Amino acid sequence: MAKNAISPTREENYPEWYQQVVKGANLAENSVVRGCMVIKPWGYAVWEKMQGALDSRFKETGHENAYFPLFIPMSYLEKEAQHVEGFAKECAVVTHHRLEPNGAGGLAPAGPLEEPLIVRPTSETIIGETFAKWVQSYRDLPIKINQWSNVVRWEMRTRLFLRTSEFLWQEGHTVHATEQEAQEETRLIHDLYAEFAEDYMAMPVLKGYKTADERFPGAVATYTIEAMMQDKKALQAGTSHFLGQNFSKAQEIKFQNEEGHEVYGWTTSWGVSTRLVGALVMTHADDDGLVLPPRLAPKQVVILPIVRKEEDRESILEYCDSLEKELSQQEAFGEKLRVKVDTREARGGGKKWQYIKQGVPILLEVGPRDVAAGKVFAYRRDTGEKWGVEKGAFTTEAGTFLETFQKGLFDKAAQFRRENTHEIDSVEALTTLFDDKGKEGSAPGGFANCYFCESPETLEILKPLKLTVRCVPDDQDHPVGKCIFTGKETTLKAVIAKAY
Amino acid sequence: MAKNAISPTREENYPEWYQQVVKGANLAENSVVRGCMVIKPWGYAVWEKMQGALDSRFKETGHENAYFPLFIPMSYLEKEAQHVEGFAKECAVVTHHRLEPNGAGGLAPAGPLEEPLIVRPTSETIIGETFAKWVQSYRDLPIKINQWSNVVRWEMRTRLFLRTSEFLWQEGHTVHATEQEAQEETRLIHDLYAEFAEDYMAMPVLKGYKTADERFPGAVATYTIEAMMQDKKALQAGTSHFLGQNFSKAQEIKFQNEEGHEVYGWTTSWGVSTRLVGALVMTHADDDGLVLPPRLAPKQVVILPIVRKEEDRESILEYCDSLEKELSQQEAFGEKLRVKVDTREARGGGKKWQYIKQGVPILLEVGPRDVAAGKVFAYRRDTGEKWGVEKGAFTTEAGTFLETFQKGLFDKAAQFRRENTHEIDSVEALTTLFDDKGKEGSAPGGFANCYFCESPETLEILKPLKLTVRCVPDDQDHPVGKCIFTGKETTLKAVIAKAY
C-alpha cells in the first residue's frame, strides 16, 4: 500500500494534518453556522462510546442524570462576580421570542423578552438555583447530579472538536454538607477522568491542580488532566472544580445541619466534552489517518469480502458471515467484540482505505484463496502489519489481540511524552525549549518540569513566550530547589507548556 | 394503607391531579425560565429507558446517530414557505454574542450578529443544508440519520412534559433515491413508534394519517400515533413525515441517478419527545401517583428492610442483600431485573409511600419475621394487592410476574379506550358527546369514529367544539357510509376527539 493517505503529513503541517484526519475519518465538518460543527455518524459513534463508559462510571459512584434548562436569565449569571467575568464575553444572547415579516419579504425578530436569556455556557447558576430549593436539611445531602447536554461559548477562532462555539459535554454538579466531602468528590472525579483517559482513550495524562489564573471562574480549586499531543502541545482534557461556598453563598444553597444551624453547602462541578474526540485524534492518528483505541472503536474488526469472480460470491459471503458470528462471540475488555462485514461493491481498494482513515483497529480481507485455505488476511491499523492467519486461530485470539493493541497505543503515547518532557532549571533554558523564533515547530517544545513557587509574577514571563502553567502535578516528592522565576526556595514543581 | 396519596384525585380535578402526580413522583418541576422544565433524576431515568429502547431499534433498522447545530440562520428557516409559517411565531432568537456592563452595575447584550440565529424548533432546514453537500450520486443514498437533542418552541401556556418551551427529543432525517423508498421509511418508523408505545409504554395507540390542517408544516403526509389519556382526550405521541421533494427542492438536495440525470431526493423526518413521559403518566397513573410499566421502570423491584430493633439489623440487611442478588439474576423482557435495596433510615412509612408515588412496580418489605420464615411481604403497584410469599418462589417467578404486570397495564388501557370509543353518525351526536356546556369533563367525551370525506369545511364545524380530527386510521375496511359533515358517500372513517 502507498503511504500517507493524509496530506499534508504531521511533519509538513500539523494543524492542517489534523483537519484532514478529521475530514478523512468522517468525524465532523464545519456547518454554515459560524463556529458550530456537524458531528458525523462515525464521530458521534466514538462520542457515544465515551459517553457510555463515563456514564456507567458516574452511576457506579452514586451520581444521577437529570436535565436543566438551556437558557439562563441574564441576571443569574451576574450572581457570582468572577463567574460572569469569565463568561460574559462569549455568550449567545436570546432577546426575542418570535419572527415577523420585515416588510421586505423577509423576517425580523419580534416579541422582545423582558429579560434577555443566555444560552448556557455552563450551568452552575441555573442548576444552583434549583439545588437551593432541593436542599433544606442535611438529610437531603449529598446531591450528586450529572447532565449530558450542549453548551455554547461564542468563539472567534474555532477548530473542529478542539474549540467550537457549540459543543456537547457532561457537567456534574454536587452539593455536600462538609468541605471535606466536597473535596473528596472533586478528587474522586479527577481520578475517574484520569482513569478514563488512560484506560479507554489510551492517552496518558498528568494529574494536577491549576494555578489561580487558570482556574474555572468562581472556583476555589480546579483539578485538571493534561495530555501531550503529537505536536508536543498540552491539551486540557477534563477538569474537576472544588467551588467551596462561593456559589452556595451567591445562590443561597443553605441547609439545617445536624445541630440545627443553618449553614451553606459546599459545591463541586466537573466536565469533559467532545473536545476529547480531538484529543484522541491528536494522540494516536498518523499520516494515514485516525487510529482508534479498540476500547472506543465503534467497530473493532471490519471484514472485507474480496469478490473478483461472480461464482465465488456466495462462498465468500458465507465465510465472512460465519467469521463475523464467531468473532462477535469473542470478548475484549469484558465486552463482546464489535464486528462488521462490509458487503458493498468494492471500488478499487477505496473501501479498505476508508476504514484505514477511519481508524478501525483490525481489517480482515477474505478472498477465494482464504476461503479455500480456511484463512483470513489481517491488517492491523497501528503498525500497518499484514499477515495471513488461520481463521480459527485468529478468532480465539482476537480479544487478547485487541487488548494488547490498546496497551500498545498507550505505551507509545507514554514514551512520546517521556521523550518530550524536560527538566528545566532556568528561564533561559525554558526560552530555548520553546522559542521558535517565529517558525512554528522549530523549537523542541514539550513539557517543561520546573521548580515553581506559585508567584503571580510568573505570568509576566510566560505570556510573551505563549506559555502557561498547565498544572502543578499531584505527585510531588522533590528535594528543595529554586523557583526558576523568582529564585525562591520551594519543593513544588509545575509543568509548563504551550497548549490548545 | 390510606388511599389517595395524590390530592386532588382524577375525578376531582384532572389537570391538577396530573401536576401533583408529576411532582409526587419526582419526575420534573418548573424552572425559573418561563416554560422550561427541570427534569429530575427519576423522570430522566424513565426518559433514558425510552431512549435506550428507541435508539437500539433505530440502529437495528439502519439509522446512525449524528449531531447538528443548535442554531439555524434566520434565512434558512425562510426557505420552505409552509415550514417558516408553522414555526415563526414560536422561535427563540439569538441576536447578540456577548454581554457588556450596562453602566448601571448590570449587563446588557452586545456584539450584535449580522444575521439573527434561531434556536432550532426542529432541524429540517439545517440538516437539509448538510445533506445537500453529502448527496452527490445515487450511491450516497439512502442517508438515514437520527439526532438526540433539545429543541425550543416558545410556548405561552406550558405544562410539564406535555408542552414546554424547551424539550428533549429525537429527530430522524432521511433522504432516499425514490418516492417509494421514502414512503416505506415513513411507514417503517410509524410502525416502530406504535410498537414502542404498545410494547414498552403499555399504551395502546391508533395508527393513522393526519388531515391537511394537522400535517407537519412542509410535509406531504404526516403519520401519527394517537393515545387516549384517562380524561379521554387524545395525545399525539409520535409523528413520521413523508416530505416528498418539498424540502429537497427548497434546499437543493440533488443527486445523479443511475441513468446519469440530476434529480431531487425524497426526504422524511420523524420524532418523539419527552412528551411521552407525560403520556405515560396520564395513561397509567392513579390517585396514589405514578404507575410505571415494568419495561420502562428504572427500578422494577425495591426492597425495604423493616428494622425495628437494632439486634435484627444485620440479619435483615443480609437477607435483603441476598434477595437483591438473586432477583438481579432473574430476567424479564430478555433483560436482567433492575432491583434496589433502600437501606436509608425509615421515617414512618414515608419511604414506602415515596416508591408508590414514583410508580415502582413491586415493593418487597422484609422484617424479622420474614427473615425467620424465609419469606417476603410483597406489594404490587397496579392493583395495590399485598401478600406474603416464600422468598425462593417469589424470586423464580419475578420475571414472569413483571411481564404479566406489563400486559395487565396494556389490557386495562385498551379496555378503557374501547369503552370510550363511540360510533358517531351525525354532527348532533358528536356535539352531544363533547359539549360540556362550560363544565369541563361533564360530557362523555372519548374518541368519535365518524364517516368522513376529508372536506376542508369539516374544520368550520369542529373548531367551535374544540375538536380535531386526530387521524384517519390505517385500518379502513368499512362499507360505504355518509360523511357526517357533508353527507357525501365515503368508505373512510376518521377519529375525532379533544386533544392535548
Side-chain angles (χ1 to χ4, degrees), chain B residues 422-436:
Chain B
H422 307 276
E423 293 298 317
I424 292 297
D425 59 6
S426 69
V427 171
E428 291 66 40
L430 190 70
T431 307
T432 307
L433 188 62
F434 290 105
D435 187 2
D436 55 20

Side-chain angles (χ1 to χ4, degrees), chain B residues 106-340:
Chain B
L107 295 170
L113 298 176
E114 270 179 45
E115 179 180 1
L117 297 172
I118 310 308
V119 181
R120 62 180 163 221
T122 179
S123 302
E124 278 75 10
T125 56
I126 188 81
I127 293 183
E129 193 273 339
T130 303
F131 282 178
K133 287 191 289 177
W134 290 0
V135 180
Q136 307 293 330
S137 140
Y138 69 93
R139 289 193 198 85
D140 302 322
L141 296 175
I143 293 180
K144 295 164 73 177
I145 293 287
N146 177 59
Q147 165 170 286
W148 291 98
S149 68
N150 53 346
V151 282
V152 172
R153 298 178 186 174
W154 204 267
E155 296 281 356
M156 283 308 168
R157 297 179 58 190
T158 61
R159 209 186 304 209
L160 292 167
F161 290 115
L162 298 175
R163 194 172 293 278
T164 49
S165 290
E166 183 192 12
F167 56 88
L168 303 183
W169 79 345
Q170 62 69 215
E171 48 181 323
H173 296 272
T174 69
V175 192
H176 306 267
T178 66
E179 177 173 11
Q180 191 193 330
E181 264 186 52
Q183 289 269 21
E184 282 167 8
E185 167 77 9
T186 316
R187 290 296 197 151
L188 172 88
I189 297 296
H190 182 47
D191 292 345
L192 189 156
Y193 283 163
E195 282 167 33
F196 172 76
E198 302 205 328
D199 295 350
Y200 283 80
M201 297 177 67
M203 180 174 81
V205 290
L206 279 181
K207 294 168 66 183
Y209 66 83
K210 288 286 189 189
T211 50
D213 56 298
E214 294 277 331
R215 261 179 226 144
F216 178 75
V220 173
T222 287
Y223 298 93
T224 181
I225 55 171
E226 301 278 329
M228 183 187 283
M229 303 294 100
Q230 288 183 70
D231 61 353
K232 304 175 204 163
K233 283 192 192 170
L235 184 138
Q236 175 180 309
T239 46
S240 181
H241 315 295
F242 171 64
L243 304 175
Q245 295 184 317
N246 291 353
F247 283 85
S248 64
K249 282 180 178 165
Q251 304 189 288
E252 297 288 314
I253 306 177
K254 290 189 285 197
F255 67 97
Q256 268 212 333
N257 66 14
E258 285 196 62
E259 292 75 40
H261 304 301
E262 191 165 69
V263 294
Y264 288 107
W266 298 84
T267 69
T268 83
S269 70
W270 29 275
V272 297
S273 73
T274 37
R275 183 171 223 224
L276 290 182
V277 180
L280 200 66
V281 172
M282 290 209 296
T283 301
H284 302 301
D286 62 22
D287 295 336
D288 284 336
L290 188 59
V291 178
L292 284 172
R295 216 164 176 184
L296 292 178
K299 299 293 170 198
Q300 295 161 322
V301 183
V302 170
I303 303 167
L304 299 166
I306 312 290
V307 181
R308 294 218 173 77
K309 291 183 194 155
E310 205 45 46
E311 69 244 42
D312 296 334
R313 182 176 302 276
E314 204 183 320
S315 63
I316 293 177
L317 293 186
E318 261 175 32
Y319 188 87
C320 290
D321 278 348
S322 78
L323 181 58
E324 184 195 19
K325 282 205 189 74
E326 288 157 24
L327 280 170
S328 302
Q329 290 309 310
Q330 299 296 314
E331 291 194 0
F333 313 101
E335 289 179 0
K336 293 267 188 283
L337 298 199
R338 299 183 287 275
V339 187
K340 169 182 154 176

Side-chain angles (χ1 to χ4, degrees), chain A residues 10-29:
Chain A
R10 286 163 288 186
E11 189 75 33
E12 288 163 358
N13 183 339
Y14 189 87
E16 181 58 20
W17 164 83
Y18 172 77
Q19 301 289 342
Q20 291 303 321
V21 172
V22 170
K23 185 181 172 186
N26 283 326
L27 293 176
E29 64 186 39

Side-chain angles (χ1 to χ4, degrees), chain A residues 219-240:
Chain A
V220 174
T222 287
Y223 298 94
T224 181
I225 55 171
E226 300 278 328
M228 184 187 283
M229 303 294 100
Q230 289 183 69
D231 60 353
K232 305 174 203 163
K233 284 192 191 169
L235 184 138
Q236 175 182 308
T239 45
S240 180

Side-chain angles (χ1 to χ4, degrees), chain B residues 293-489:
Chain B
R295 216 164 176 184
L296 292 178
K299 299 293 170 198
Q300 295 161 322
V301 183
V302 170
I303 303 167
L304 299 166
I306 312 290
V307 181
R308 294 218 173 77
K309 291 183 194 155
E310 205 45 46
E311 69 244 42
D312 296 334
R313 182 176 302 276
E314 204 183 320
S315 63
I316 293 177
L317 293 186
E318 261 175 32
Y319 188 87
C320 290
D321 278 348
S322 78
L323 181 58
E324 184 195 19
K325 282 205 189 74
E326 288 157 24
L327 280 170
S328 302
Q329 290 309 310
Q330 299 296 314
E331 291 194 0
F333 313 101
E335 289 179 0
K336 293 267 188 283
L337 298 199
R338 299 183 287 275
V339 187
K340 169 182 154 176
V341 185
D342 186 343
T343 57
R344 292 173 305 158
E345 290 303 310
R347 289 172 243 169
K351 275 204 300 191
K352 182 168 183 183
W353 275 106
Q354 188 51 46
Y355 290 113
I356 291 174
K357 285 191 281 184
Q358 291 191 188
V360 172
I362 302 175
L363 302 179
L364 298 179
E365 290 179 303
V366 174
R369 285 189 203 173
D370 299 302
V371 175
K375 289 187 148 191
V376 297
F377 191 70
Y379 168 88
R380 59 183 286 178
R381 179 62 186 86
D382 55 344
T383 59
E385 211 178 320
K386 294 169 261 186
W387 71 105
V389 53
E390 199 262 318
K391 183 188 172 201
F394 181 83
T395 303
T396 43
E397 284 161 29
T400 315
F401 186 87
L402 287 167
E403 289 172 359
T404 311
F405 186 117
Q406 174 97 15
K407 186 170 179 310
L409 289 186
F410 179 87
D411 290 345
K412 191 177 166 195
Q415 190 186 337
F416 182 79
R417 190 182 71 180
R418 261 195 312 277
E419 288 169 359
N420 292 287
T421 298
H422 307 276
E423 293 298 317
I424 292 297
D425 59 6
S426 69
V427 171
E428 291 66 40
L430 190 70
T431 307
T432 307
L433 188 62
F434 290 105
D435 187 2
D436 55 20
K437 301 187 177 64
K439 193 170 170 298
E440 179 85 28
S442 63
F447 283 1
N449 252 334
C450 321
Y451 276 106
F452 174 69
C453 72
E454 294 202 69
S455 156
E457 62 190 278
T458 305
L459 267 188
E460 307 300 312
I461 299 169
L462 292 179
K463 239 182 189 165
L465 291 167
K466 293 179 185 159
L467 294 173
T468 45
V469 177
R470 299 317 303 158
C471 69
V472 180
D474 292 346
D475 297 328
Q476 295 279 349
D477 185 20
H478 314 294
V480 174
K482 282 188 176 160
C483 170
I484 70 161
F485 301 101
T486 64
K488 286 186 199 150
E489 291 208 328

Side-chain angles (χ1 to χ4, degrees), chain A residues 260-444:
Chain A
H261 302 302
E262 190 164 71
V263 293
Y264 288 106
W266 299 83
T267 68
T268 83
S269 68
W270 29 277
V272 298
S273 74
T274 38
R275 184 170 222 222
L276 290 182
V277 180
L280 199 66
V281 172
M282 291 210 295
T283 301
H284 303 301
D286 62 22
D287 295 336
D288 284 335
L290 188 58
V291 178
L292 283 172
R295 215 165 178 182
L296 293 177
K299 299 292 171 198
Q300 296 161 321
V301 182
V302 170
I303 303 167
L304 299 166
I306 312 289
V307 181
R308 292 217 175 77
K309 292 181 194 155
E310 205 46 45
E311 67 244 42
D312 296 333
R313 181 176 301 277
E314 203 184 320
S315 63
I316 293 177
L317 293 186
E318 260 176 32
Y319 188 87
C320 289
D321 278 348
S322 78
L323 181 57
E324 183 196 20
K325 282 206 188 74
E326 288 156 26
L327 279 170
S328 301
Q329 291 308 311
Q330 300 296 314
E331 290 194 1
F333 313 102
E335 288 178 2
K336 294 268 189 281
L337 298 199
R338 298 183 287 275
V339 187
K340 169 182 155 175
V341 185
D342 186 343
T343 56
R344 291 173 307 158
E345 291 301 311
R347 290 172 243 171
K351 274 203 303 189
K352 182 170 184 181
W353 275 106
Q354 188 52 45
Y355 290 113
I356 290 174
K357 286 192 279 184
Q358 292 191 187
V360 171
I362 303 174
L363 301 179
L364 299 178
E365 290 179 303
V366 174
R369 286 189 203 173
D370 300 301
V371 174
K375 290 187 148 192
V376 298
F377 190 71
Y379 168 87
R380 60 182 285 179
R381 179 62 187 87
D382 56 345
T383 60
E385 211 177 320
K386 292 170 264 187
W387 71 106
V389 53
E390 199 263 317
K391 183 188 172 200
F394 180 83
T395 302
T396 45
E397 284 161 28
T400 315
F401 187 87
L402 286 167
E403 289 172 0
T404 311
F405 186 117
Q406 173 97 14
K407 186 170 181 309
L409 288 186
F410 179 86
D411 290 345
K412 190 177 167 196
Q415 191 186 336
F416 182 80
R417 190 181 72 180
R418 261 195 311 278
E419 287 168 1
N420 292 288
T421 298
H422 308 276
E423 292 299 317
I424 292 296
D425 60 5
S426 70
V427 171
E428 291 67 39
L430 190 70
T431 306
T432 309
L433 188 62
F434 290 104
D435 187 2
D436 55 20
K437 299 186 178 64
K439 193 171 169 299
E440 180 84 26
S442 63

